[in-house]
Amino acid sequence: MSVSMLLRLAWRQSLIRLLLYYAVALGIGLLVGEPWWALGLATAALAARAYWRLYRVLRFLDWRKQLRTVDGQGLWAALETLIHRRQTENRTRSRRLVRLLRAYRQAATAMPDGALVIHRRDGRLVWFNKTARHLVGLRYPQSLGEPLVDFFAGNPRVREWLAAAQTDEPLTDVASPTDPMVRLSLRLIPYSATQWMLVVRDVTKLMRLEQVRRDFVANVSHELRTPLTVVHGYLDMIEPEEHPDLAVMVEEMRRQSQRMTQLVEDLLTLSRLEAQEHLPEEPMAMAPMLVTLRREAEALSQGRHQVSVEDRAGCDLTGSTKELHSAFSNLVSNAVRYTPTGGRIAVRFERTADGGARLAVQDSGYGIPEQHLPRITERFYRVSTSRSRESGGTGLGLSIVKHVLSLHQARLEVESEVGRGSTFACVFGPARVRMRQAPGEA
Ligand code: ADP
């Protein structure tokens, strides 16, 4: 029965019963000749019954009391029925929630990855699963309430990463506090307004494989260097004038061996960058750097492009001059190589709104279709293989740029439109900016 029907029926019934009750009381009162007394007694009995029903309802509202079915009719019975229904619904709902919660807990406990819940404010542990115990060296329940960083003592990377609340970038290759040979990857997930979920994964095998791959590439590149130098040397000794029939072939062989040498050099540069965690932090003067970039652009362009260099920032950077120079000149070289004759190339060094700085290399060249943009920094990824080869590209330039920038906590921003040109910008944070010293200042 619906609630409104139940209530309507109850109202009607109790009104009729009340009238009947008083009619009978009045009847008896008239019979015995004391109508007022009879009515008074009837009212007192009614009040007593109402108190008794109220007492029952109050007991009913007590959760610990056993639920029982309601009998009788009228308003009190309707009230009890409604409470009874609400209680039953609530119990069913909370049982379902408890079951669901238990299932989630079980799933989280059985997860092969470590899962921890920590307070956002102070990084204290709220909950962790079994895998987290082994990987991070936690003990239940003693570790609850302890700050997580304490377990990674001696690892400033974890402290900094947690303080920066890096939810989009996982922290990889962290030594496990229980065994430094075990390498971990940490990922922060916003869990609630006050808590983080930290997922800890054992990536030891992955790291080992990555190391094997790196070593392999570095070794092969290194081994190729000597034979290539020999081939190159012999090719240089052949004078095309002395062997006119071989001239075309020798020229092509020289070009190909140069390409291979460049490829090997780029692979070695990448391996070297990958093996490094930090680069030298030295002051890097931007004015001479911009002059060098202009000279390089003009040399590569050989007058085919209009080159402009602007220094709007008036500051310097901190970092590895050698590596940053290699990154910037890769961008300049790409701009020249992927811009047809008559195009414009503009190098601009400027400040960013957050107090950082950016070096932007803009060209009016071929541009890059949007679908290729997310992948162009991958090794050997080329938008047009033939155009890259023709222009002497190895397909590794932008990977090198990306690596160098990430070692400087900087990022590469690319904007491009097919047929209109591209802008590649290296964006540095405020921590990398150095104000220029006036001449004569120590
Ligand atoms: P490559 O040696 O082939 O130039 P890079 O890693 O430097 O390799 O660049 C990857 C690809 O990105 C290039 O093959 C090219 O297709 C594209 N690219 C890079 N810079 C530019 C640019 N300034 N304009 C148009 N395309 C570019």
Side-chain angles (χ1 to χ4, degrees):
M1 201 190 293
S2 76
V3 175
S4 59
M5 259 173 73
L6 182 88
L7 283 180
R8 220 176 306 132
L9 202 70
W11 273 115
R12 205 176 307 142
Q13 275 173 352
S14 54
L15 215 63
I16 293 169
R17 279 167 62 182
L18 197 67
L19 284 175
L20 274 175
Y21 176 72
Y22 272 109
V24 172
L26 193 63
I28 294 172
L30 286 173
L31 268 180
V32 294
E34 290 286 353
W36 290 112
W37 268 103
L39 281 180
L41 263 172
T43 307
L46 204 63
R49 186 169 173 273
Y51 270 108
W52 163 242
R53 293 304 288 256
L54 187 63
Y55 168 74
R56 269 183 25 160
V57 168
L58 288 178
R59 268 187 35 182
F60 225 36
L61 285 176
D62 185 349
W63 265 94
R64 280 155 302 185
K65 282 280 171 287
Q66 190 74 34
L67 286 174
R68 58 186 175 80
T69 43
V70 183
D71 44 28
Q73 289 169 332
L75 277 181
W76 285 108
L79 181 67
E80 284 180 9
T81 310
L82 285 184
I83 292 170
H84 183 265
R85 268 194 204 176
R86 211 40 65 79
Q87 270 186 329
T88 319
E89 275 169 17
N90 279 349
R91 281 208 167 186
T92 321
R93 198 175 306 140
S94 61
R95 272 201 200 116
R96 210 174 43 231
L97 281 177
V98 168
R99 264 204 308 276
L100 208 66
L101 200 69
R102 245 184 235 143
Y104 273 123
R105 283 240 163 159
Q106 267 166 2
T109 310
M111 246 173 29
D113 295 334
L116 304 95
V117 175
I118 54 172
H119 276 301
R120 285 190 187 205
R121 195 165 32 87
D122 49 15
R124 286 180 191 275
L125 283 161
V126 178
W127 176 85
F128 48 83
N129 69 358
K130 219 183 243 169
T131 320
R133 275 190 235 171
H134 306 310
L135 293 180
V136 187
L138 306 173
R139 285 197 301 147
Y140 184 83
Q142 294 91 323
S143 306
L144 289 176
E146 298 281 315
L148 175 73
V149 277
D150 287 2
F151 295 92
F152 287 96
N155 195 336
R157 270 176 75 215
V158 177
R159 190 181 291 274
E160 280 165 25
W161 179 76
L162 275 176
Q166 286 274 12
T167 44
D168 39 358
E169 274 290 308
L171 184 69
T172 44
D173 205 12
V174 177
S176 160
T178 47
D179 178 1
M181 294 304 281
V182 174
R183 310 306 290 183
L184 305 177
S185 147
L186 313 182
R187 181 180 275 278
L188 261 191
I189 299 162
Y191 173 64
S192 74
T194 53
Q195 293 173 340
W196 298 109
M197 164 95 111
L198 182 82
V199 178
V200 183
R201 183 169 291 176
D202 181 351
V203 287
T204 317
K205 273 193 196 141
L206 206 72
M207 287 292 139
R208 214 170 285 151
L209 271 176
E210 186 67 10
Q211 189 59 43
V212 170
R213 180 192 65 80
R214 253 184 259 152
D215 290 350
F216 176 76
V217 173
N219 290 340
V220 169
S221 314
H222 201 75
E223 292 299 323
L224 280 174
R225 222 181 197 175
T226 321
L228 268 175
T229 316
V230 174
V231 170
H232 216 65
Y234 280 129
L235 281 173
D236 275 348
M237 282 163 65
I238 302 174
E239 291 293 340
E241 295 85 46
E242 288 173 20
H243 308 275
D245 46 335
L246 295 180
V248 179
M249 221 161 66
V250 169
E251 186 50 37
E252 181 60 17
M253 282 161 82
R254 269 189 196 157
R255 242 183 327 127
Q256 293 298 340
S257 82
Q258 246 154 24
R259 227 172 78 74
M260 276 173 80
T261 311
Q262 188 56 49
L263 201 66
V264 165
E265 289 307 323
D266 280 359
L267 280 172
L268 282 171
T269 305
L270 260 180
S271 303
R272 188 170 45 76
L273 289 172
E274 276 181 336
Q276 262 163 327
E277 273 193 16
H278 295 288
L279 287 175
E281 301 279 314
E282 57 199 21
M284 186 179 85
M286 280 307 283
M289 172 70 80
L290 291 171
V291 171
T292 312
L293 290 178
R294 175 196 285 276
R295 209 177 318 118
E296 283 174 358
E298 282 168 351
L300 269 170
S301 159
Q302 307 243 315
R304 288 179 292 122
H305 307 93
Q306 194 185 317
V307 178
S308 67
V309 176
E310 266 181 275
D311 182 0
R312 294 186 190 164
C315 63
D316 288 331
L317 294 174
T318 317
S320 159
T321 311
K322 179 174 158 245
E323 306 300 355
L324 283 175
H325 173 222
S326 129
F328 297 159
S329 48
N330 256 309
L331 295 183
V332 168
S333 141
N334 278 354
V336 174
R337 289 189 296 117
Y338 298 110
T339 303
T341 306
R344 284 183 319 277
I345 288 151
V347 179
R348 264 192 308 273
F349 184 50
E350 57 204 1
R351 297 298 296 268
T352 55
D354 67 348
R358 81 200 269 271
L359 183 112
V361 181
Q362 186 177 13
D363 64 54
S364 61
Y366 305 116
I368 304 164
E370 205 183 334
Q371 71 269 26
H372 293 286
L373 285 179
R375 300 194 57 190
I376 51 167
T377 54
E378 288 174 20
R379 284 149 205 242
F380 299 114
Y381 190 86
R382 292 155 167 131
V383 177
S384 153
T385 315
S386 55
R387 199 177 272 164
S388 162
R389 291 228 171 97
E390 265 167 38
S391 62
T394 58
L396 294 170
L398 290 181
S399 304
I400 294 178
V401 174
K402 197 176 131 189
H403 263 87
V404 170
L405 292 186
S406 86
L407 283 168
H408 288 85
Q409 298 78 46
R411 61 178 197 278
L412 181 67
E413 280 180 1
V414 188
E415 278 168 32
S416 191
E417 206 178 313
V418 176
R420 292 188 140 246
S422 324
T423 305
F424 285 75
C426 307
V427 186
F428 297 87
R432 291 271 159 200
V433 172
R434 291 183 89 241
M435 291 330 287
R436 263 178 216 165
Q437 287 172 345
E441 261 183 57

